[in-house]
Amino acid sequence: MTFAWKAAGISYNRYLAIAARVVRRSLKEEKRLAAERRGEMDLRFAKWENGKQGEMKNVAQEQPHQTASS
């Protein structure tokens, strides 16, 4: 038996993000606003070379095509 998220060709992490967004959108207005604020994220990364940290980059700005479809 294949999991639905695997059959759809998405990662489990992406599946969880989609499911969480659906649940947040189904809540009543007051609870939905509080839940949406908790669902926001700010993820950054930096490449390290020779023991020194490189430039910090925001993942959302690096991959705008994924966040635009959310």
Side-chain angles (χ1 to χ4, degrees):
M1 181 172 162
T2 305
F3 295 106
W5 56 270
K6 267 189 178 178
I10 61 175
S11 70
Y12 184 68
N13 205 17
R14 185 71 181 139
Y15 163 75
L16 288 177
I18 292 169
R21 186 174 358 116
V22 169
V23 169
R24 283 192 294 271
R25 287 182 179 176
S26 69
L27 297 172
K28 291 185 179 180
E29 188 69 20
E30 181 181 313
K31 300 286 185 181
R32 183 182 58 81
L33 293 175
E36 283 180 351
R37 277 188 234 112
R38 285 192 309 269
E40 294 174 1
M41 70 172 194
D42 185 29
L43 183 62
R44 298 179 190 167
F45 71 94
K47 186 174 182 179
W48 288 73
E49 290 185 29
N50 300 324
K52 296 190 180 183
Q53 181 179 354
E55 179 185 352
M56 294 287 289
K57 296 181 182 179
N58 189 329
V59 173
Q61 291 173 352
E62 290 292 316
Q63 300 173 349
H65 64 280
Q66 288 185 356
T67 56
S69 63
S70 333

